[in-house]
């Protein structure tokens, strides 16, 4: 509760193709108590780009994907990215939807 009150949270929603592991749509990023998204368009775009990069490096084609590992990797890498940009450590909640 203290971390949420101090640094807020960032929710990342990625829709992936269950067979190829590729993104089906642009990742969605929602922020609560962290930054006001409309005032931080540049940071939002950079974060989306970083999410795409993490996913492309984490998912190996033609193998079974460990989705927990993918989520953990997104949480860790985006957490580091956000800290470097803002000096804050919001709670990162990645959600992956397979279609």
């Amino acid at each position: 509760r203290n971390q949420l009150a101090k640094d807020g949270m960032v929710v990342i929603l990625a829709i992936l193709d269950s067979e190829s592991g590729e993104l089906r749509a642009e990742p969605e990023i929602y922020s609560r108590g962290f930054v006001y998204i409309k005032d931080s368009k540049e940071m939002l775009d950079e974060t989306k780009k970083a999410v795409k990069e993490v996913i492309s490096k984490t998912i190996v084609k033609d193998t079974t994907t460990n989705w927990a590992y993918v989520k953990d990797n997104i949480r860790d890498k985006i957490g580091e990215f956000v800290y470097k940009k803002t000096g804050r450590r919001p709670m990162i909640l990645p959600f992956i939807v397979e279609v």
Side-chain angles (χ1 to χ4, degrees), residues 41-98:
K41 175 123 174 69
E42 183 178 317
M43 185 180 159
L44 176 67
D45 292 340
E46 290 176 17
T47 305
K48 285 181 181 182
K49 184 178 176 182
V51 169
K52 289 181 198 178
E53 187 176 310
V54 169
I55 290 172
S56 69
K57 288 182 178 179
T58 305
I59 294 177
V60 178
K61 297 199 188 298
D62 300 326
T63 62
T64 304
T65 303
N66 180 344
W67 295 110
Y69 175 73
V70 174
K71 287 180 189 179
D72 288 344
N73 206 15
I74 291 171
R75 184 179 300 113
D76 294 342
K77 300 295 184 193
I78 300 304
E80 291 172 17
F81 174 81
V82 168
Y83 182 73
K84 285 179 186 176
K85 290 287 185 185
T86 65
R88 296 174 65 188
R89 295 190 188 276
M91 181 180 291
I92 308 290
L93 300 171
F95 290 95
I96 296 178
V97 178
E98 292 178 80

Side-chain angles (χ1 to χ4, degrees), residues 6-19:
K6 180 181 169 201
D7 293 327
M9 72 177 205
V10 174
V11 177
I12 300 169
L13 175 64
I15 300 173
L16 302 175
D17 187 296
S18 60
E19 293 178 14

